[in-house]
Amino acid sequence: MKVQSTTTQQDDHFLISNYDYKSTNIEKNGDKYIAKPQITNFKFKTDTRIPKVGVMLVGWGGNNGTTLTGGILANKFNITWNSRRGTHQPNFYGSLTQSSVIKIGTCNTEEVFVPFKDVLPMVNPCDIVFGGWDISSMNLADAMSRAQVVEYDLQQKLRPYLEKLVPLPSIYYPDFIAANQGDRADNVIPGNNKLEHLNIIRKNIADFKQQNNLDKVILLWTANTERFCVEDPNIHGTAEKLLKSIESSHPEISASTIFACAACLEGCSFINGSPQNTIVPGVIELAEKAGVFVAGDDFKTGQTKFKTCLVEYLVGAGIKPKAIISYNHLGNNDGKNLSQESCFKSKERSKKTCVDDILESNKVLYPTEEELNIDHTIVIKYCPETGDSKKAMDEYIAEIFLGGRQTFAVYNVCEDSLLAAPLIMDLLLLCELFERIQFSKDSSEYQRFDTVLSWLSYLMKAPKSESGITTINSLSRQRAMLENLVKVCAGLTIDDNLRLEVRYG
Ligand code: NAD
């Protein structure tokens, strides 16, 4: 695809697009709103050179880590496999960047769509070099069998590639994850000195980058859900205080926060795929100083994706959700870890907040704070027989016309890691792309996006935003935001869905 426009310039290294952003400024005058449309000029500059990228996963030997690594290798080497349903080809279904399309315009009256990945130059996932850590020493072939996610025949075909991959020893603070994880922790960096731990992880990152001749590395936490650390401004509040707390091996410094600090100090962006409060203010300051991104929290895979769609549909239709009752039956190691109350609490928090902004937006349905307090209940039960095929059972009760009720009972089988792996890939590819984009507002100096990469909220259950910026949970708004950003950077027109060119030529 090539854009021909006077507002877009391209040379060997950069694509620059000029974009007039139209917004509406609202002023309140008593009980009236005064709407003032305005236009702000932005320039987006994208470095079109594709770097050699390495990814280090924390929790590499887990269900997500092995499924992602094996799935990408299956695609890279075009490995086919057999099951009772026949012969299967590898694909990237479930990946926004690889398997979804974006409308770029109309040809006569026909709408034209291209793959998301073709709008701006992006890294090919098959070119990513993977590495990482796990507290379990199993090589990735054995870890994939333990996970019981991938079909047996594919496991066998991937074995020669995966058995050579062994996670680095990791830091293990048993107080932060469930006690039932202790029996797999045979690959642990010794000692209790958190500064030494930080330095070892930093060295691991530097060695990985150098040994694989990489231009950049991104770190992603897909290890067990930790309990929340007891956040305290004196411990976690600034970069300096955080580093001091690490130096004194403070008990409220979690393993995930050590990894986040190590990433920032090595100039790598960090993504948190679990719900806990890893990205404390001190981490954000370290990332800011290093010019890297942080993003989180918790992958938005099956049930939450559905929930944010359904609630958006109801509220958008003027129907009032009054209760959401969610049951989860989980049989994988994630479920085992979440069976401990402290870890469950982290998950409950991220699952519960996901519809708040959708309800808050509609003051017709929810005129008071009290009414916003709907009955939103989360239950997670560890049922080993369920394996990685998580069962999500949700009841949605909504109030309709004249006091009537509409109830949905939804049964959703989420093959957890098969949904999570392509989503993790998208997080990595988009984070890498956003590291190559700069913008200028009203002819100011070019700058990078804010440190907390809330552009990725489509992929996060409890999206973290820059301070002062409200979080958007609506899936369609999150997706439109991403789609529009890449279109704007490419110099394409954003679609407002009026379709006037089709209706009136
Ligand atoms: P998993 O239990 O199979 O894998 C986690 C791995 O992390 C394990 O191999 C474990 O040994 C390792 N680990 C634990 N502590 C570690 C540490 N300090 N350092 C290095 N490794 C460590 O879990 P999973 O199904 O792969 O999920 C991973 C995380 O992603 C969980 O926190 C889960 O809640 C989160 N998540 C998963 C999904 C999904 O759909 N699969 C969705 C949202 C969030």
Side-chain angles (χ1 to χ4, degrees), residues 58-65 133-136 146 170-173 177 181 184 221-226 255 259 273-276 298-302 332-334 337-338 347 388 390 415-417 419-420 461:
V58 193
W60 195 20
N63 287 21
N64 289 346
W133 303 263
D134 205 291
I135 55 171
S136 158
R146 173 179 60 186
S170 193
I171 45 180
Y172 174 47
Y173 303 153
I177 60 173
Q181 298 298 308
R184 66 196 277 156
W221 178 275
T222 180
N224 289 14
T225 295
E226 295 176 323
F259 275 100
S274 303
Q276 73 277 339
D298 209 4
F299 308 127
K300 181 166 169 171
T301 44
N332 54 18
N333 189 54
D334 183 26
N337 181 63
L338 294 175
K347 199 54 128 185
D388 206 60
K390 183 177 90 181
E415 295 207 282
D416 240 8
S417 302
L419 288 172
K461 214 185 312 273

Side-chain angles (χ1 to χ4, degrees), residues 44-303:
F44 291 92
K45 182 163 124 182
T46 307
D47 190 334
T48 52
R49 292 164 292 183
I50 303 281
K52 187 171 179 200
V53 177
V55 165
M56 297 189 86
L57 301 175
V58 193
W60 195 20
N63 287 21
N64 289 346
T66 53
T67 307
L68 174 67
T69 311
I72 288 184
L73 287 170
N75 276 279
K76 180 170 179 160
F77 298 110
N78 198 22
I79 299 171
T80 59
W81 67 98
N82 295 312
S83 78
R84 64 183 174 187
R85 289 193 294 265
T87 302
H88 301 264
Q89 306 289 331
N91 62 42
F92 281 125
Y93 287 0
S95 160
L96 176 81
T97 59
Q98 310 301 302
S99 300
S100 84
V101 292
I102 287 183
K103 182 185 154 191
I104 54 166
T106 41
C107 180
N108 302 321
T109 53
E110 287 283 305
E111 295 184 322
V112 178
F113 297 85
V114 299
F116 192 116
K117 66 182 169 61
D118 293 344
V119 177
L120 285 177
M122 289 184 74
V123 169
N124 179 341
C126 296
D127 294 336
I128 296 176
V129 181
F130 279 95
W133 303 263
D134 205 291
I135 55 171
S136 158
S137 64
M138 253 187 206
N139 70 59
L140 259 66
D142 291 341
M144 179 178 265
S145 313
R146 173 179 60 186
Q148 301 179 10
V149 173
V150 170
E151 292 276 5
Y152 178 75
D153 191 31
L154 181 56
Q155 283 184 35
Q156 296 309 305
K157 292 191 169 161
L158 285 170
R159 182 159 277 280
Y161 302 91
L162 292 179
E163 64 192 356
K164 294 179 259 182
L165 305 177
V166 182
L168 292 161
S170 193
I171 45 180
Y172 174 47
Y173 303 153
D175 169 40
F176 276 89
I177 60 173
N180 61 29
Q181 298 298 308
D183 53 2
R184 66 196 277 156
D186 63 354
N187 194 36
V188 173
I189 300 172
N192 297 316
N193 184 323
K194 293 192 175 180
L195 182 60
E196 266 176 38
H197 291 169
L198 175 74
N199 289 335
I200 291 170
I201 302 302
R202 287 187 65 177
K203 183 163 182 328
N204 291 160
I205 300 169
D207 289 349
F208 177 72
K209 189 170 180 192
Q210 196 233 328
Q211 284 157 9
N212 294 290
N213 202 14
L214 301 166
D215 297 313
K216 59 167 91 167
V217 175
I218 300 174
L219 257 72
L220 182 140
W221 178 275
T222 180
N224 289 14
T225 295
E226 295 176 323
R227 69 162 172 85
F228 265 52
C229 68
V230 181
E231 215 174 306
D232 178 340
N234 289 321
I235 304 166
H236 310 98
T238 64
E240 199 189 337
K241 285 179 178 155
L242 185 61
L243 292 175
K244 280 233 162 71
S245 309
I246 293 174
E247 226 172 277
S248 66
S249 298
H250 195 285
E252 284 308 318
I253 299 290
S254 63
S256 61
T257 295
I258 299 269
F259 275 100
C261 290
C264 297
L265 294 168
E266 289 306 311
C268 306
S269 293
F270 176 88
I271 299 168
N272 178 30
S274 303
Q276 73 277 339
N277 56 346
T278 303
I279 304 172
V280 292
V283 167
I284 298 175
E285 196 185 322
L286 278 179
E288 178 83 47
K289 283 184 177 160
V292 297
F293 294 125
V294 289
D297 297 315
D298 209 4
F299 308 127
K300 181 166 169 171
T301 44
Q303 189 185 30

Side-chain angles (χ1 to χ4, degrees), residues 439-457:
F439 72 93
S440 141
K441 183 183 166 199
D442 288 330
S443 304
S444 63
E445 290 270 294
Y446 278 106
Q447 53 181 298
R448 63 188 197 99
F449 292 135
D450 289 331
T451 304
V452 182
L453 207 50
S454 59
W455 294 106
L456 298 180
S457 59

